Amino acid sequence: MKITGETVSFETCDIAFVRKFGLLEAARQALAHRDAHPELPFLMDDHQLSAFLAIGRKTLYQLARQTKEAYHPVQIPKKGGGVRQLFVPEPRLRRIQDRIYRHILIHLPISHYATAYRTGGSLRDNAAPHVGRRYVLKLDVADFFGSIHHDQVLRVLSETPGLSRQTAWLLSELCCLDGVLPQGAPTSPPLSNLVLDRMDRTLGCWCQIQGITYTRYCDDLTFSADCPLEGAYEKAGNLLRDMGFSLNEKKTRFLTRATRQQVTGLTVNEKVSVPNDYKRALRQELYYALRYGLCEAILGGKQTAFLRDGQPDPERYRAHLLGRVQYVLQIEPENKWFQEAKKRLYETEYKKEDEVWKS
Protein backbone atom coordinates (compact mmCIF):
# COMPACT_ATOMS: atom_id res chain seq x y z
CA MET A 1 0.00 0.00 0.00
CA LYS A 2 0.98 3.63 -0.45
CA ILE A 3 -0.03 6.45 1.88
CA THR A 4 0.02 10.06 0.73
CA GLY A 5 -1.25 12.49 3.30
CA GLU A 6 -4.56 11.01 4.45
CA THR A 7 -5.07 8.94 1.30
CA VAL A 8 -4.36 5.19 1.28
CA SER A 9 -3.83 3.45 -2.05
CA PHE A 10 -4.12 -0.33 -1.76
CA GLU A 11 -2.23 -2.68 -4.07
CA THR A 12 -2.70 -6.27 -5.19
CA CYS A 13 -0.90 -7.67 -2.14
CA ASP A 14 -3.42 -5.86 0.12
CA ILE A 15 -6.57 -7.46 -1.32
CA ALA A 16 -6.90 -10.15 1.36
CA PHE A 17 -6.37 -7.59 4.12
CA VAL A 18 -9.02 -5.25 2.67
CA ARG A 19 -11.50 -8.11 2.24
CA LYS A 20 -11.02 -9.14 5.86
CA PHE A 21 -11.57 -5.71 7.42
CA GLY A 22 -13.39 -3.73 4.78
CA LEU A 23 -12.05 -0.73 2.88
CA LEU A 24 -12.65 1.96 5.51
CA GLU A 25 -11.36 -0.07 8.48
CA ALA A 26 -8.32 -1.25 6.51
CA ALA A 27 -7.49 2.36 5.62
CA ARG A 28 -8.03 3.47 9.23
CA GLN A 29 -5.62 0.82 10.54
CA ALA A 30 -3.00 1.71 7.94
CA LEU A 31 -3.19 5.44 8.76
CA ALA A 32 -3.09 4.80 12.51
CA HIS A 33 0.04 2.67 12.10
CA ARG A 34 1.70 5.28 9.87
CA ASP A 35 1.03 8.02 12.43
CA ALA A 36 2.27 5.98 15.41
CA HIS A 37 5.18 4.08 13.82
CA PRO A 38 6.19 5.67 10.49
CA GLU A 39 9.54 3.85 10.52
CA LEU A 40 7.99 0.35 10.56
CA PRO A 41 6.22 -1.56 7.75
CA PHE A 42 2.56 -2.58 8.06
CA LEU A 43 2.46 -6.35 7.43
CA MET A 44 -0.79 -7.99 8.51
CA ASP A 45 -0.80 -11.15 6.37
CA ASP A 46 1.42 -13.39 4.25
CA HIS A 47 0.46 -11.60 1.02
CA GLN A 48 1.80 -8.29 2.31
CA LEU A 49 4.85 -9.97 3.83
CA SER A 50 5.81 -11.75 0.60
CA ALA A 51 5.52 -8.45 -1.30
CA PHE A 52 7.63 -6.71 1.36
CA LEU A 53 10.34 -9.39 1.08
CA ALA A 54 10.09 -9.41 -2.74
CA ILE A 55 9.46 -13.17 -2.93
CA GLY A 56 6.43 -15.28 -3.85
CA ARG A 57 4.19 -16.74 -1.14
CA LYS A 58 5.19 -20.28 -2.13
CA THR A 59 8.87 -19.40 -1.74
CA LEU A 60 8.12 -17.66 1.56
CA TYR A 61 6.60 -20.81 3.05
CA GLN A 62 9.27 -23.06 1.57
CA LEU A 63 12.01 -21.01 3.22
CA ALA A 64 10.10 -20.81 6.49
CA ARG A 65 9.69 -24.59 6.63
CA GLN A 66 13.07 -25.60 5.26
CA THR A 67 15.53 -23.09 6.72
CA LYS A 68 18.05 -25.84 7.51
CA GLU A 69 18.76 -26.24 3.80
CA ALA A 70 19.48 -22.50 3.47
CA TYR A 71 22.55 -22.45 5.76
CA HIS A 72 26.06 -23.79 5.54
CA PRO A 73 28.29 -24.30 8.60
CA VAL A 74 31.58 -22.44 8.97
CA GLN A 75 34.17 -22.98 11.68
CA ILE A 76 36.46 -20.18 12.81
CA PRO A 77 39.25 -20.50 15.41
CA LYS A 78 38.78 -18.97 18.86
CA LYS A 79 41.51 -16.85 20.44
CA GLY A 80 41.68 -19.13 23.44
CA GLY A 81 41.75 -22.31 21.38
CA GLY A 82 39.05 -24.46 19.84
CA VAL A 83 36.64 -23.39 17.12
CA ARG A 84 33.44 -21.38 16.92
CA GLN A 85 30.63 -22.84 14.82
CA LEU A 86 28.82 -20.34 12.60
CA PHE A 87 25.83 -20.97 10.35
CA VAL A 88 25.95 -18.67 7.36
CA PRO A 89 22.73 -18.15 5.36
CA GLU A 90 22.79 -18.73 1.63
CA PRO A 91 22.49 -15.57 -0.55
CA ARG A 92 18.70 -15.61 -0.99
CA LEU A 93 17.96 -16.04 2.71
CA ARG A 94 20.72 -13.55 3.53
CA ARG A 95 19.03 -10.89 1.37
CA ILE A 96 15.72 -11.55 3.13
CA GLN A 97 17.31 -11.35 6.57
CA ASP A 98 19.14 -8.15 5.63
CA ARG A 99 15.81 -6.59 4.67
CA ILE A 100 14.23 -7.71 7.96
CA TYR A 101 17.17 -6.20 9.80
CA ARG A 102 17.23 -2.86 7.93
CA HIS A 103 13.48 -2.21 7.84
CA ILE A 104 12.24 -3.76 11.09
CA LEU A 105 14.76 -4.84 13.71
CA ILE A 106 17.04 -1.81 13.58
CA HIS A 107 14.06 0.46 14.40
CA LEU A 108 12.91 -1.38 17.54
CA PRO A 109 13.99 0.21 20.85
CA ILE A 110 16.33 -1.53 23.29
CA SER A 111 17.54 -0.46 26.72
CA HIS A 112 20.72 1.57 27.15
CA TYR A 113 22.17 -1.32 29.17
CA ALA A 114 22.69 -3.27 25.91
CA THR A 115 25.77 -1.75 24.27
CA ALA A 116 26.40 -4.20 21.40
CA TYR A 117 24.61 -4.38 18.04
CA ARG A 118 23.23 -0.85 18.13
CA THR A 119 23.90 2.17 15.93
CA GLY A 120 26.93 4.02 17.24
CA GLY A 121 27.62 1.45 19.97
CA SER A 122 31.20 0.39 20.74
CA LEU A 123 33.39 -1.53 23.16
CA ARG A 124 34.38 1.81 24.69
CA ASP A 125 30.74 2.61 25.46
CA ASN A 126 30.47 -0.71 27.29
CA ALA A 127 33.66 -0.20 29.31
CA ALA A 128 33.47 3.52 30.14
CA PRO A 129 30.73 3.31 32.83
CA HIS A 130 32.96 0.98 34.89
CA VAL A 131 36.06 3.20 35.11
CA GLY A 132 37.56 3.73 38.55
CA ARG A 133 35.26 1.43 40.52
CA ARG A 134 36.55 -0.56 43.45
CA TYR A 135 34.94 -3.84 42.39
CA VAL A 136 34.16 -5.27 38.95
CA LEU A 137 32.22 -8.47 38.20
CA LYS A 138 32.27 -10.08 34.76
CA LEU A 139 29.84 -12.83 33.73
CA ASP A 140 29.63 -14.79 30.48
CA VAL A 141 26.51 -16.52 29.14
CA ALA A 142 27.16 -20.04 27.84
CA ASP A 143 25.99 -20.84 24.29
CA PHE A 144 24.36 -17.42 24.04
CA PHE A 145 22.64 -17.54 20.63
CA GLY A 146 21.90 -21.25 20.91
CA SER A 147 19.98 -20.59 24.13
CA ILE A 148 17.55 -18.13 22.52
CA HIS A 149 14.56 -20.15 21.34
CA HIS A 150 11.97 -19.70 18.64
CA ASP A 151 9.15 -18.96 21.09
CA GLN A 152 11.18 -16.11 22.61
CA VAL A 153 11.80 -14.64 19.15
CA LEU A 154 8.12 -15.06 18.28
CA ARG A 155 7.12 -13.20 21.44
CA VAL A 156 9.17 -10.09 20.68
CA LEU A 157 8.10 -10.06 17.02
CA SER A 158 4.44 -10.52 17.98
CA GLU A 159 4.77 -7.41 20.15
CA THR A 160 6.18 -5.39 17.24
CA PRO A 161 3.75 -2.74 15.92
CA GLY A 162 2.53 -3.47 12.39
CA LEU A 163 3.02 -7.24 12.56
CA SER A 164 0.20 -9.74 12.99
CA ARG A 165 0.67 -13.07 14.74
CA GLN A 166 0.90 -14.74 11.32
CA THR A 167 3.61 -12.46 9.94
CA ALA A 168 5.50 -12.55 13.25
CA TRP A 169 5.51 -16.37 13.07
CA LEU A 170 6.78 -16.37 9.49
CA LEU A 171 9.51 -13.86 10.31
CA SER A 172 10.61 -15.87 13.35
CA GLU A 173 10.83 -18.99 11.18
CA LEU A 174 13.01 -17.11 8.69
CA CYS A 175 15.33 -15.97 11.49
CA CYS A 176 15.69 -19.27 13.41
CA LEU A 177 17.48 -22.53 12.66
CA ASP A 178 16.49 -25.75 14.42
CA GLY A 179 14.40 -23.70 16.84
CA VAL A 180 17.15 -21.31 18.01
CA LEU A 181 18.97 -18.22 16.78
CA PRO A 182 21.85 -19.19 14.47
CA GLN A 183 25.16 -17.47 15.14
CA GLY A 184 26.09 -16.10 11.72
CA ALA A 185 22.73 -14.71 10.56
CA PRO A 186 22.49 -10.87 10.42
CA THR A 187 19.17 -10.96 12.28
CA SER A 188 20.45 -12.88 15.31
CA PRO A 189 22.37 -10.06 17.09
CA PRO A 190 19.50 -7.51 17.12
CA LEU A 191 16.98 -10.22 18.01
CA SER A 192 19.14 -11.25 20.97
CA ASN A 193 18.99 -7.68 22.30
CA LEU A 194 15.22 -7.64 21.91
CA VAL A 195 14.78 -11.00 23.67
CA LEU A 196 16.94 -9.87 26.61
CA ASP A 197 15.46 -6.37 26.79
CA ARG A 198 13.11 -7.13 29.70
CA MET A 199 15.89 -8.81 31.64
CA ASP A 200 18.24 -5.89 30.96
CA ARG A 201 15.69 -3.39 32.25
CA THR A 202 14.81 -5.49 35.32
CA LEU A 203 18.45 -6.11 36.20
CA GLY A 204 19.43 -2.51 35.41
CA CYS A 205 16.72 -1.07 37.67
CA TRP A 206 17.73 -3.42 40.52
CA CYS A 207 21.38 -2.42 40.10
CA GLN A 208 20.52 1.28 40.10
CA ILE A 209 18.77 0.89 43.46
CA GLN A 210 21.81 -0.97 44.82
CA GLY A 211 24.30 1.63 43.57
CA ILE A 212 25.71 -0.78 40.98
CA THR A 213 26.55 -0.02 37.35
CA TYR A 214 25.44 -2.65 34.80
CA THR A 215 26.09 -3.09 31.07
CA ARG A 216 25.76 -6.02 28.68
CA TYR A 217 27.79 -6.49 25.51
CA CYS A 218 26.27 -9.51 23.72
CA ASP A 219 26.93 -12.42 26.10
CA ASP A 220 29.21 -10.44 28.46
CA LEU A 221 27.53 -8.96 31.54
CA THR A 222 29.57 -6.45 33.57
CA PHE A 223 28.84 -4.97 36.99
CA SER A 224 30.88 -2.44 38.96
CA ALA A 225 30.52 -0.67 42.27
CA ASP A 226 32.40 0.47 45.36
CA CYS A 227 30.80 -2.37 47.34
CA PRO A 228 31.15 -6.17 46.93
CA LEU A 229 29.12 -7.67 44.06
CA GLU A 230 28.05 -11.11 45.30
CA GLY A 231 24.42 -9.92 45.28
CA ALA A 232 24.66 -8.93 41.62
CA TYR A 233 26.06 -12.38 40.81
CA GLU A 234 23.06 -14.07 42.47
CA LYS A 235 20.49 -11.71 40.94
CA ALA A 236 21.87 -12.02 37.40
CA GLY A 237 22.19 -15.80 37.67
CA ASN A 238 18.58 -16.18 38.79
CA LEU A 239 17.21 -13.93 36.04
CA LEU A 240 19.24 -15.72 33.37
CA ARG A 241 18.18 -19.15 34.57
CA ASP A 242 14.53 -18.06 34.49
CA MET A 243 15.02 -17.29 30.79
CA GLY A 244 16.72 -20.60 30.02
CA PHE A 245 20.31 -19.32 30.04
CA SER A 246 23.26 -20.57 32.07
CA LEU A 247 26.50 -18.93 33.11
CA ASN A 248 29.89 -20.07 31.91
CA GLU A 249 31.35 -20.26 35.40
CA LYS A 250 34.89 -20.68 34.05
CA LYS A 251 34.71 -17.09 32.81
CA THR A 252 33.20 -15.54 35.95
CA ARG A 253 35.61 -12.91 37.30
CA PHE A 254 35.50 -10.89 40.54
CA LEU A 255 38.09 -8.11 40.13
CA THR A 256 39.34 -5.51 42.59
CA ARG A 257 41.17 -2.26 41.99
CA ALA A 258 44.43 -3.97 43.01
CA THR A 259 44.28 -6.09 39.83
CA ARG A 260 44.06 -5.14 36.17
CA GLN A 261 40.35 -4.62 35.61
CA GLN A 262 39.42 -5.40 32.01
CA VAL A 263 35.95 -5.04 30.51
CA THR A 264 35.42 -6.53 27.03
CA GLY A 265 39.18 -6.43 26.52
CA LEU A 266 39.71 -2.82 27.69
CA THR A 267 41.42 -1.67 30.88
CA VAL A 268 39.19 0.45 33.17
CA ASN A 269 41.23 0.90 36.37
CA GLU A 270 41.79 4.64 35.84
CA LYS A 271 40.55 5.33 32.31
CA VAL A 272 39.40 3.37 29.27
CA SER A 273 42.50 2.17 27.46
CA VAL A 274 43.81 -0.66 25.32
CA PRO A 275 45.96 -3.07 27.39
CA ASN A 276 49.65 -2.18 27.31
CA ASP A 277 50.77 -5.63 26.14
CA TYR A 278 48.51 -5.32 23.06
CA LYS A 279 49.92 -1.87 22.22
CA ARG A 280 53.50 -2.99 22.86
CA ALA A 281 53.21 -5.95 20.48
CA LEU A 282 51.53 -3.79 17.83
CA ARG A 283 54.24 -1.12 18.10
CA GLN A 284 56.92 -3.72 17.46
CA GLU A 285 55.07 -5.07 14.44
CA LEU A 286 54.51 -1.59 13.02
CA TYR A 287 58.11 -0.55 13.55
CA TYR A 288 59.40 -3.59 11.66
CA ALA A 289 56.86 -3.19 8.84
CA LEU A 290 57.48 0.51 8.30
CA ARG A 291 61.24 0.35 8.66
CA TYR A 292 61.97 -2.70 6.52
CA GLY A 293 58.93 -2.84 4.26
CA LEU A 294 55.68 -4.74 4.33
CA CYS A 295 56.92 -7.71 2.28
CA GLU A 296 59.93 -8.19 4.52
CA ALA A 297 57.68 -7.94 7.58
CA ILE A 298 55.42 -10.67 6.22
CA LEU A 299 58.33 -13.01 5.49
CA GLY A 300 60.49 -12.14 8.50
CA GLY A 301 57.57 -12.20 10.90
CA LYS A 302 56.24 -15.45 9.42
CA GLN A 303 52.86 -13.84 8.75
CA THR A 304 51.62 -16.81 6.72
CA ALA A 305 48.06 -15.47 6.66
CA PHE A 306 49.27 -12.76 4.28
CA LEU A 307 50.88 -15.03 1.72
CA ARG A 308 49.12 -15.57 -1.60
CA ASP A 309 50.43 -18.44 -3.71
CA GLY A 310 53.56 -18.38 -1.59
CA GLN A 311 54.17 -14.66 -2.20
CA PRO A 312 53.64 -11.78 0.27
CA ASP A 313 50.44 -9.78 -0.12
CA PRO A 314 51.49 -6.37 1.27
CA GLU A 315 48.21 -4.64 0.48
CA ARG A 316 46.23 -7.05 2.63
CA TYR A 317 48.83 -6.83 5.39
CA ARG A 318 48.68 -3.05 5.39
CA ALA A 319 44.88 -3.17 5.65
CA HIS A 320 45.27 -5.56 8.59
CA LEU A 321 47.69 -3.22 10.37
CA LEU A 322 45.47 -0.21 9.70
CA GLY A 323 42.54 -2.07 11.24
CA ARG A 324 44.49 -2.79 14.42
CA VAL A 325 45.74 0.80 14.63
CA GLN A 326 42.24 2.12 14.10
CA TYR A 327 41.02 -0.09 16.94
CA VAL A 328 43.53 1.54 19.30
CA LEU A 329 42.55 5.04 18.12
CA GLN A 330 38.85 4.33 18.60
CA ILE A 331 39.59 3.66 22.25
CA GLU A 332 42.41 6.21 22.65
CA PRO A 333 41.81 8.92 20.01
CA GLU A 334 44.45 11.17 21.62
CA ASN A 335 47.30 8.63 21.26
CA LYS A 336 49.95 10.53 19.27
CA TRP A 337 52.15 7.51 18.52
CA PHE A 338 49.38 5.57 16.81
CA GLN A 339 48.09 8.69 15.06
CA GLU A 340 51.52 9.03 13.44
CA ALA A 341 51.68 5.29 12.68
CA LYS A 342 48.33 5.49 10.89
CA LYS A 343 49.56 8.44 8.81
CA ARG A 344 52.76 6.59 7.86
CA LEU A 345 50.86 3.46 6.88
CA TYR A 346 48.71 5.47 4.49
CA GLU A 347 51.76 7.25 3.05
CA THR A 348 53.96 4.16 2.61
CA GLU A 349 53.96 2.84 -0.97
CA TYR A 350 54.18 -0.90 -0.45
CA LYS A 351 55.78 -1.48 -3.86
CA LYS A 352 58.84 0.55 -2.85
CA GLU A 353 60.38 -1.78 -0.33
CA ASP A 354 63.50 0.38 0.00
CA GLU A 355 61.51 3.23 1.58
CA VAL A 356 61.77 3.14 5.34
CA TRP A 357 60.15 4.93 8.22
CA LYS A 358 62.73 6.65 10.40
CA SER A 359 61.18 6.73 13.85
Side-chain angles (χ1 to χ4, degrees), residues 21 34 40 182 184 187 228 234 254 276 291 315 318 353:
F21 291 98
R34 188 276 313 268
L40 293 172
T187 45
E234 294 294 334
F254 286 92
N276 288 331
R291 181 170 181 82
E315 190 170 13
R318 177 163 58 172
E353 291 299 332

Side-chain angles (χ1 to χ4, degrees), residues 27-204:
R28 187 199 66 77
Q29 290 186 30
L31 287 170
H33 175 77
R34 188 276 313 268
D35 293 340
H37 305 282
E39 73 284 1
L40 293 172
F42 187 64
L43 306 170
M44 302 307 291
D45 60 34
D46 53 356
H47 295 272
Q48 293 174 329
L49 180 60
S50 63
F52 169 74
L53 297 175
I55 57 175
R57 286 177 65 237
K58 182 178 179 180
T59 301
L60 172 62
Y61 280 98
Q62 284 178 339
L63 282 173
R65 291 167 178 161
Q66 301 172 7
T67 51
K68 194 167 186 176
E69 299 175 8
Y71 288 89
H72 64 273
V74 174
Q75 291 185 337
I76 59 174
K78 293 182 179 180
K79 288 183 179 180
V83 295
R84 187 184 307 279
Q85 182 85 8
L86 301 182
F87 293 93
V88 180
E90 299 295 346
R92 181 171 60 176
L93 181 58
R94 175 67 189 235
R95 287 193 296 270
I96 291 171
Q97 291 175 341
D98 283 339
R99 186 165 179 79
I100 295 169
Y101 169 78
R102 292 195 312 270
H103 295 279
I104 300 177
L105 301 180
I106 199 173
H107 298 295
L108 300 179
I110 56 174
S111 77
H112 67 275
Y113 302 107
T115 57
Y117 315 132
R118 63 188 306 153
T119 303
S122 68
L123 290 172
R124 184 185 178 90
D125 295 332
N126 186 68
H130 305 287
V131 170
R133 308 305 293 273
R134 187 175 179 183
Y135 299 98
V136 172
L137 166 63
K138 301 196 301 181
L139 303 178
D140 180 87
V141 180
D143 190 21
F144 181 63
F145 289 105
S147 299
I148 299 177
H149 296 276
H150 177 272
D151 58 343
Q152 295 171 306
V153 175
L154 178 58
R155 175 184 62 79
V156 297
L157 290 175
S158 296
E159 295 171 353
T160 300
L163 300 183
S164 67
R165 180 77 178 183
Q166 180 192 34
T167 53
W169 179 83
L170 286 166
L171 288 170
S172 63
E173 289 291 316
L174 292 171
C175 295
C176 289
L177 173 63
D178 290 334
V180 300
L181 283 184
Q183 187 172 4
T187 45
S188 293
L191 281 169
S192 71
N193 276 344
L194 293 167
V195 168
L196 269 74
D197 186 63
R198 290 182 183 176
M199 189 215 72
D200 284 335
R201 295 179 191 276
T202 300
L203 187 54

Side-chain angles (χ1 to χ4, degrees), residues 286 290 325 329 335-348 357-359:
L286 287 165
L290 292 169
V325 170
L329 291 176
N335 192 308
K336 300 294 185 182
W337 198 96
F338 284 99
Q339 287 177 0
E340 182 66 15
K342 179 180 178 180
K343 179 182 176 182
R344 296 290 185 177
L345 275 172
Y346 274 120
E347 291 176 349
T348 300
W357 178 34
K358 301 185 184 299
S359 61

Side-chain angles (χ1 to χ4, degrees), residues 245-263:
F245 294 98
S246 60
L247 291 174
N248 184 347
E249 297 292 358
K250 293 181 179 179
K251 294 186 177 181
T252 297
R253 298 287 185 272
F254 286 92
L255 306 172
T256 67
R257 192 178 290 167
T259 64
R260 183 167 67 174
Q261 297 172 328
Q262 285 191 344
V263 175

